[in-house]
């Protein structure tokens, strides 16, 4: 993957993780991010979805720590994040930590529990990241690879994988978090 493309994607993720905008991510940022998603989808405290999102957020933080400073990092700067996530262990982090967190949020967004989300359900999340309704509709259409008007669990997993790991600058998953 081009170093510039990877860096831009990783910086976009870092910005979404750094909820207090202090230039570092820590466990409180990740917990706050989990709660933002719970609030976005009206997830009740201590419900199954709440426990899943917060549990996966804890796993995400563990994964970040394991990939920075030998697991002793309490705070991770943007440069530390980019350097650590540009390592050979990055793909394992994506599969074990990043995608499971994303899919816990996906499950909460899936209002009827059919394993697919609508453009409106996706819009609720994407508006939090600053994406316009038009941009979200465009991205949704790219992610809906079978054209059925919904993004399935499998389509979303593939998009997340493309975002984090694809070296193809045209991969639809690159846009999952908006323009970078």
């Amino acid at each position: 993957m081009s170093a510039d493309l990877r860096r831009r994607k990783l910086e976009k993720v870092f910005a979404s993780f750094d909820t207090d905008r202090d230039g570092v991510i820590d466990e409180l940022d990740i917990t706050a991010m989990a709660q933002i998603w719970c609030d976005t989808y009206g997830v009740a405290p201590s419900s199954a979805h709440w426990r899943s999102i917060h549990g996966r957020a804890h796993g995400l933080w563990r994964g970040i720590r394991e990939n920075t400073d030998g697991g002793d990092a309490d705070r991770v700067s943007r440069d530390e994040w980019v350097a650590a996530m540009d390592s050979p262990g990055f793909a394992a982090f994506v599969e074990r930590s990043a995608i499971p967190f994303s899919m816990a949020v996906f499950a909460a967004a899936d209002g009827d529990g059919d394993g697919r989300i609508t453009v409106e359900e996706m819009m609720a999340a994407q508006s939090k990241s600053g994406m316009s309704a038009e941009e979200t509709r465009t991205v949704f259409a790219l992610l809906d690879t079978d054209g059925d008007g919904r993004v399935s669990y499998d389509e979303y997993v593939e998009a997340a994988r493309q975002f984090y790991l694809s070296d193809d600058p045209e991969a639809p998953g690159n846009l999952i978090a908006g323009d970078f």
Side-chain angles (χ1 to χ4, degrees):
M1 175 182 313
S2 108
D4 181 55
L5 176 62
R6 178 176 288 238
R7 181 171 192 82
R8 286 183 295 144
K9 287 192 224 184
L10 293 173
E11 287 175 350
K12 178 79 172 187
V13 172
F14 182 89
S16 72
F17 288 175
D18 182 16
T19 58
D20 61 9
R21 305 288 182 245
D22 66 353
V24 297
I25 52 176
D26 58 26
E27 190 169 12
L28 291 176
D29 284 313
I30 303 301
T31 301
M33 180 181 58
Q35 192 56 48
I36 288 167
W37 292 126
C38 288
D39 293 346
T40 297
Y41 291 111
V43 176
S46 300
S47 67
H49 281 309
W50 187 93
R51 286 190 308 276
S52 177
I53 290 170
H54 280 273
R56 294 297 185 180
H58 183 69
L60 179 65
W61 176 243
R62 269 194 330 268
I64 291 168
R65 286 188 69 192
E66 288 170 4
N67 285 285
T68 56
D69 286 343
D72 293 330
D74 288 330
R75 298 165 54 95
V76 177
S77 72
R78 185 183 66 183
D79 290 340
E80 289 169 328
W81 161 257
V82 170
M85 298 306 136
D86 200 23
S87 69
F90 183 64
F93 162 78
V94 168
E95 296 296 332
R96 283 193 316 254
S97 303
I99 290 176
F101 176 76
S102 294
M103 299 321 295
V105 173
F106 180 97
D110 178 13
D112 62 5
D114 69 350
R116 303 176 306 161
I117 58 172
T118 65
V119 69
E120 291 80 13
E121 290 165 332
M122 186 173 175
M123 220 173 282
Q126 301 307 56
S127 67
K128 295 282 185 185
S129 66
M131 284 176 69
S132 69
E134 181 179 325
E135 186 179 13
T136 301
R137 288 182 201 291
T138 299
V139 171
F140 186 89
L142 292 170
L143 301 183
D144 179 16
T145 58
D146 65 6
D148 70 352
R150 294 181 177 248
V151 172
S152 71
Y153 183 94
D154 291 339
E155 288 169 326
Y156 201 85
V157 166
E158 181 57 28
R161 207 171 269 131
Q162 287 175 357
F163 178 81
Y164 282 105
L165 302 173
S166 176
D167 59 358
D168 178 3
E170 302 300 318
N174 287 338
L175 300 174
I176 200 169
D179 191 21
F180 55 89

